């Protein structure tokens, strides 16, 4: 799943080397924490959150067959 998120996000940003994903997993859910360069945060979120929503939709669809609930958080 991390590779999928990286494949989506890296072409969108100016600093692809600063893209970092951390995983926080519990028994019932998986949270992917996406870190990008501060100047790229707006590009990843998009106008009115449209890009972030699209990223989340793709990840949720890909994780649909898993037993755990999946979340994507964009952090500073």
């Amino acid at each position: 799943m991390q590779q999928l998120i990286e494949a989506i996000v890296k072409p969108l940003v100016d600093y692809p080397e600063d893209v970092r994903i951390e995983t926080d997993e519990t028994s019932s859910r998986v949270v992917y924490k996406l870190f990008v360069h501060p100047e790229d945060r707006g590009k990843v979120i998009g106008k009115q959150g449209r890009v972030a929503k699209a990223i989340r939709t793709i990840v949720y669809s890909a994780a649909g067959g898993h037993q755990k609930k999946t979340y994507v958080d964009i952090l500073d």
Side-chain angles (χ1 to χ4, degrees):
M1 199 62 64
Q2 289 181 333
Q3 292 175 341
L4 174 64
I5 296 169
E6 286 180 2
I8 296 169
V9 172
K10 283 189 176 184
L12 298 175
V13 298
D14 290 334
Y15 300 96
E17 65 277 358
D18 289 347
V19 173
R20 184 171 47 100
I21 300 169
E22 293 180 4
T23 306
D24 183 22
E25 189 169 348
T26 65
S27 61
S28 61
R29 67 182 186 160
V30 179
V31 179
Y32 294 100
K33 298 177 182 178
L34 174 62
F35 297 91
V36 294
H37 192 276
E39 293 179 14
D40 290 331
R41 200 170 310 122
K43 293 177 183 176
V44 174
I45 295 171
K47 288 186 179 179
Q48 297 180 351
R50 289 182 180 157
V51 175
K53 185 177 179 181
I55 293 169
R56 289 181 176 121
T57 300
I58 293 168
V59 172
Y60 298 163
S61 296
H66 298 297
Q67 301 295 330
K68 298 181 180 181
K69 187 79 172 158
T70 303
Y71 300 94
V72 177
D73 290 340
I74 301 169
L75 303 172
D76 294 343

